Amino acid sequence: MKITIDAEKCCAAGQCVLVAPEVFDQRDEDGVVVLLDAEPPAEQHDAVREAAAICPAAVIEVQE
Amino acid sequence: MTEMIDTTVPAAPAPLPVQPPSGCPFDPPTEFGTLRAEEPISRISLPDGSWSWLATRYADIRAILGDTRFSSDTTLHGYPLSGMTGGASTKNRGFIRMDPPEHTRLRRMVTREFMVKRVEALRPEIQRLTDELCDALERRAGEPVDLVEALALPVPSLVISLLLGVPYDDHDVFQRLTGKLLSRTIAEDEREAARGELRDYLDQLVTAKEKEPGDDILGRLIVEQQQTGEITHDEVAAFAALLLVAGHETTANMIGLSALTLMRSPETAERLRREPGLIRGAVEELLRFHSIIRNGPRRVATTDIEIGGRLIRAGEGVVVAVPSGNRDATVFEAPDRLDIARPNSQHHVAFGYGIHQCLGQALARVELQVVIATLLRRFPTMRPAVPLDEIPFRTDMAIYGCHSLPVTW
């Protein structure tokens, strides 16, 4: 799995951080998404897919 | 290929359905189920006699809210303002009523204040406030107490006042004005008067804070954005109005409805007491199940766009039915059942969807988790003090809930 994000589009809803805190974080100055791990281990994959599915601004792209 | 598009306006489309079916105040209006099946993009009449599209399917709702060609700019011609809470389309209308790039610029000035780790850091303080209010509640054992007044409204009200730097001593003033702004039934001139009164109150507050900015959201906006020329005094006041109003009745009504649902479902309450780890998922499911946003969100098409087989033309308005999307059986299995262990409850659109999705959602989640868990733990025998049909439900308001909730224990 490879993740790319388009931080420009991020609206800082923070749901990705709730769902997959080991993969996503928020920037201190404005809450915009930070990708901690672009190629996360298998046990994170479900959480990452869920984060991508609920991201309101469609910021997270997942390549399987 | 687009089929023949019907562009005629029916003589009298029905208004937005608001009334839950009789006997079941937790369910959205039955009309939504019919519309989802038969006419998922339909027309409704607005109070001023104009009409708007109404979207009732989950997929269409996400498509509309996720597409910035549907504008949030309330000053645009055709925006379905009529009957909307807040109403007017003034210049200082807050970023919720703007499009990018203006929306993005303003929203980002406050996004860090509501980010997950900032809100998680507030959890002990929210717990402390909740415990204090529960202590006071405990001392009133034996008499019927209005849970809305005693707990559901004070928690979010205290928290947002604290965060913004608005004196909680003034809560009678801003709660009364918020109530008027969110009413569906008051006359437009009365709403305008309430809006003016809130504007005056916040104008004075911001003026005072310009002299002495505190360590709070408004203080930081003044020091970091207003004093550097990024935004004006009036824009700070618009931020204050938006965050204050949005922070109030939403969470308060979710607390009231959640408490009532759990009191009426002792097995669910018992399961939550037994397995406190379920609280996060339970809150998501309660958000989905209750879908308290009953009057929007709304958008106006900036170009011709096809949604759900219908052509929505540039300049036409759309009202999105959150309660309907959250009960869409193609997404949520047995959607009318409250299931606190539902695997995909978090896919709800109770906070909206798209770039305008609720800024305060992390805060709302923590408040709900803390208050509901505390209430269940400390008042296991709490029950409604009146029959269900005597509880005044807020069918007259943009945010659904109970006006009051008499309880005993």
Side-chain angles (χ1 to χ4, degrees):
Chain A
M1 172 182 280
K2 190 164 180 358
I3 309 168
T4 46
I5 53 169
D6 183 354
E8 258 314 291
K9 292 198 299 185
C10 178
C11 66
Q15 296 200 92
C16 55
V17 181
L18 288 175
V19 172
E22 290 172 36
V23 181
F24 303 102
D25 195 1
Q26 286 177 289
R27 214 152 65 185
D28 284 336
E29 29 326 348
D30 56 10
V32 163
V33 63
V34 175
L35 185 57
L36 299 174
D37 188 352
E39 292 179 41
E43 65 266 25
Q44 295 290 332
H45 289 187
D46 282 349
V48 170
R49 285 185 205 108
E50 176 75 358
I54 60 176
C55 173
V59 166
I60 302 164
E61 199 181 317
V62 179
Q63 285 173 309
E64 301 279 351
Chain B
M1 186 67 197
T2 308
E3 57 195 287
M4 283 292 287
I5 304 286
D6 178 13
T7 53
T8 55
V9 181
L16 181 69
V18 290
Q19 201 68 40
S22 58
C24 196
F26 302 133
D27 282 343
T30 35
E31 290 92 330
F32 286 141
T34 315
L35 287 169
R36 268 197 315 270
E38 293 171 8
E39 201 183 354
I41 305 283
S42 62
R43 285 188 173 103
I44 49 164
S45 68
L46 299 177
D48 68 355
S50 62
W51 66 274
S52 168
W53 295 105
L54 174 71
T56 46
R57 273 199 316 216
Y58 179 87
D60 295 339
I61 288 170
R62 290 227 323 190
I64 291 164
L65 296 179
D67 186 337
T68 49
R69 294 176 301 166
F70 287 102
S71 170
S72 295
D73 185 346
T74 51
T75 64
L76 286 186
H77 180 73
Y79 189 94
L81 265 179
S82 175
M84 193 171 97
T85 53
S89 57
T90 54
K91 186 172 155 283
N92 288 305
R93 58 202 189 276
F95 58 84
I96 195 172
R97 295 170 171 211
M98 295 173 180
D99 293 329
E102 206 181 5
H103 163 265
T104 317
R105 184 179 79 91
L106 291 172
R107 179 171 161 130
R108 282 204 180 162
M109 289 181 189
V110 284
T111 41
R112 67 170 167 172
E113 306 281 357
F114 298 93
M115 60 197 273
V116 172
K117 56 193 155 200
R118 286 284 276 266
V119 169
E120 280 300 329
L122 287 171
R123 191 182 281 268
E125 179 66 7
I126 295 168
Q127 183 68 60
R128 193 188 62 76
L129 290 170
T130 304
D131 284 336
E132 271 181 26
L133 289 161
C134 285
D135 291 345
L137 196 56
E138 223 163 46
R139 290 193 286 272
R140 297 170 67 182
E143 52 173 317
V145 174
D146 176 8
L147 195 66
V148 172
E149 195 194 323
L151 186 70
L153 191 51
V155 172
S157 188
L158 277 160
V159 171
I160 196 67
S161 302
L162 187 79
L163 292 182
L164 283 175
V166 173
Y168 184 71
D169 286 349
D170 295 342
H171 71 276
D172 284 348
V173 177
F174 50 74
Q175 282 172 5
R176 176 175 56 82
L177 296 172
T178 299
K180 286 189 173 182
L181 288 175
L182 296 179
S183 170
R184 278 175 197 282
T185 54
I186 65 166
E188 199 44 55
D189 56 343
E190 203 184 333
R191 200 203 314 271
E192 187 53 48
R195 193 179 306 117
E197 214 182 312
L198 184 64
R199 196 166 46 228
D200 291 346
Y201 169 77
L202 293 173
D203 181 55
Q204 286 171 24
L205 181 74
V206 172
T207 303
K209 284 185 157 290
E210 282 161 358
K211 296 189 186 83
E212 258 183 271
D215 182 21
D216 47 53
I217 295 178
L218 294 182
R220 282 190 285 278
L221 275 172
I222 288 167
V223 172
E224 293 166 25
Q225 310 291 346
Q226 188 188 336
Q227 290 178 357
T228 56
E230 290 291 315
I231 52 174
T232 63
H233 166 97
D234 287 349
E235 283 173 322
V236 177
F239 266 108
L242 174 61
L243 300 178
L244 190 60
V245 171
H248 254 88
E249 299 213 344
T250 46
T251 312
N253 283 296
M254 267 310 299
I255 293 172
L257 282 176
S258 302
L260 179 57
T261 326
L262 293 172
M263 284 189 269
R264 290 179 52 82
S265 177
E267 325 77 61
T268 311
E270 184 46 40
R271 188 170 173 204
L272 263 177
R273 266 190 291 269
R274 225 176 35 236
E275 301 176 66
L278 288 177
I279 189 69
R280 284 171 193 268
V283 163
E284 298 307 318
E285 174 68 350
L286 287 160
L287 285 161
R288 181 197 72 82
F289 186 74
H290 288 301
S291 300
I292 58 170
I293 305 295
R294 296 287 164 110
N295 213 23
R298 300 181 178 202
R299 298 287 186 267
V300 60
T302 56
T303 180
D304 294 359
I305 306 167
E306 195 183 319
I307 289 282
R310 280 278 194 176
L311 183 68
I312 298 178
R313 293 195 182 280
E316 290 178 347
V318 186
V319 175
V320 159
V322 166
S324 178
N326 281 341
R327 297 287 184 107
D328 189 330
T330 63
V331 179
F332 304 104
E333 197 191 333
D336 295 330
R337 197 182 65 216
L338 181 81
D339 173 5
I340 57 168
R342 184 183 291 279
N344 68 342
S345 56
Q346 202 164 329
H347 287 237
H348 66 74
V349 286
F351 289 121
Y353 187 75
I355 58 167
H356 287 273
Q357 197 185 50
C358 177
L359 173 68
Q361 58 181 283
L363 179 61
R365 286 189 165 102
V366 172
E367 289 177 346
L368 288 167
Q369 290 161 11
V370 167
V371 174
I372 294 166
T374 307
L375 206 51
L376 285 174
R377 195 172 62 239
R378 292 191 56 173
F379 299 90
T381 62
M382 185 176 277
R383 60 197 180 276
V386 298
L388 195 63
D389 61 8
E390 285 177 31
I391 294 171
F393 286 95
R394 294 166 46 111
T395 49
D396 55 334
M397 304 296 281
I399 312 288
Y400 191 64
C402 331
H403 282 293
S404 65
L405 177 55
V407 295
T408 187
W409 61 94

